């Protein structure tokens, strides 16, 4: 009888001792401080005598958006200016008398002037110009213009925009090709009449 009573006392003592450390927390964090962002709980049955509840921290960072939160605004990932408008005139160019006027409107003043390059139908000739700013940045953006002179002996036919390059005030540069400009709804070619010969005509 004494042995049974002694055994009961030992079991009760174990239960009381286990309650003092029944809650165990562990996780990952920076330095000595722990900033939980995601939680999970699990209860382990320890041979029917007592249970341990484990608090599992899966990631750092405070759930309420505290100092541990470091995600940046997705808009910060976009580098370079927005192209607001592009005009190329005339669309049919008489190389003996006309100059091609190009106008570009950007979302802001760039660190360097934008430039545009056109190539002939065969790709064997090209014309490029760096545009000059004509209007200060405002609600309508910054406007740049320039003229491209195509020689009267240049290759006739459809000249296409090879690329348009522009930068923002921080120097981040975009390079837009013909397909991208087409997708944005901007003109990408002109038809050139000249006295030159086309290598594509055999």
């Amino acid at each position: 009888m004494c042995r049974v009573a002694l055994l009961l006392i030992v079991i009760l003592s174990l239960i009381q001792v286990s309650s003092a450390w029944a809650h165990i927390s562990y996780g990952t964090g920076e330095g000595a401080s722990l900033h939980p962002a995601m939680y999970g709980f699990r209860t382990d049955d320890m041979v029917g005598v007592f249970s341990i509840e484990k608090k599992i921290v899966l990631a750092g960072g405070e759930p309420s958006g505290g100092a541990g939160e470091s995600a940046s605004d997705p808009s910060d990932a976009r580098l370079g200016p927005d192209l607001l408008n592009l005009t190329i005139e005339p669309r049919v160019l008489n190389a003996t008398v006309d100059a091609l006027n190009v106008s570009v409107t950007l979302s802001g003043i760039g660190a360097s002037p934008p430039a545009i390059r056109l190539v002939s139908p065969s790709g064997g000739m090209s014309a490029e110009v760096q545009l000059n700013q004509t209007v200060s940045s405002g609600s309508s953006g910054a406007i740049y213009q320039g003229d491209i002179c195509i020689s009267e002996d240049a290759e006739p036919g459809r000249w296409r925009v090879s690329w348009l390059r522009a930068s923002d005030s921080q120097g981040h540069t975009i390079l837009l090709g013909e397909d991208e400009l087409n997708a944005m709804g901007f003109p990408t070619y002109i038809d050139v009449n000249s006295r030159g010969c086309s290598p594509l005509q055999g």
Side-chain angles (χ1 to χ4, degrees), residues 6-201:
L6 183 60
L7 182 60
L8 287 174
I9 291 172
V10 170
I11 291 174
L12 289 174
S13 299
L14 285 173
I15 293 174
Q16 289 177 349
V17 169
S18 68
S19 65
W21 53 280
H23 297 283
I24 300 176
S25 299
Y26 59 92
T28 58
E30 279 189 56
S33 62
L34 188 65
H35 303 290
M38 192 176 288
Y39 304 93
F41 291 92
R42 188 177 74 191
T43 301
D44 293 337
D45 188 5
M46 303 299 290
V47 200
V49 178
F50 58 90
S51 296
I52 299 176
E53 184 182 74
K54 297 178 180 179
K55 181 180 179 182
I56 304 171
V57 181
L58 301 178
E62 297 178 356
S64 59
E69 190 172 336
S70 61
S72 59
D73 191 333
S75 64
D76 293 341
R78 183 190 62 77
L79 301 177
D82 290 326
L83 177 61
L84 304 180
N85 192 38
L86 167 64
T87 60
I88 302 175
E89 296 177 345
R91 299 301 301 279
V92 177
L93 178 74
N94 187 340
T96 59
V97 294
D98 296 330
L100 188 67
N101 180 262
V102 178
S103 178
V104 168
T105 304
L106 301 177
S107 55
I109 299 174
S112 60
I116 191 168
R117 183 175 187 261
L118 285 83
V119 294
S120 66
S122 69
M125 301 182 72
S126 65
E128 183 178 334
V129 66
Q130 183 170 293
L131 309 176
N132 299 311
Q133 184 184 350
T134 61
V135 177
S136 297
S137 180
S139 58
S140 60
I143 300 177
Y144 295 83
Q145 291 182 340
D147 291 334
I148 300 177
C149 292
I150 295 179
S151 168
E152 59 184 24
D153 295 323
E155 180 183 337
R158 181 155 290 183
W159 287 54
R160 299 184 177 277
V161 174
S162 175
W163 50 255
L164 185 150
R165 183 182 64 237
S167 67
D168 62 16
S169 59
Q170 303 300 312
H172 302 130
T173 301
I174 58 171
L175 192 68
L176 302 175
E178 179 183 3
D179 291 341
E180 292 168 294
L181 293 171
N182 263 327
M184 298 168 73
F186 296 128
T188 57
Y189 66 85
I190 61 165
D191 291 321
V192 174
N193 296 322
S194 70
R195 297 187 300 190
C197 296
S198 173
L200 300 178
Q201 293 176 347

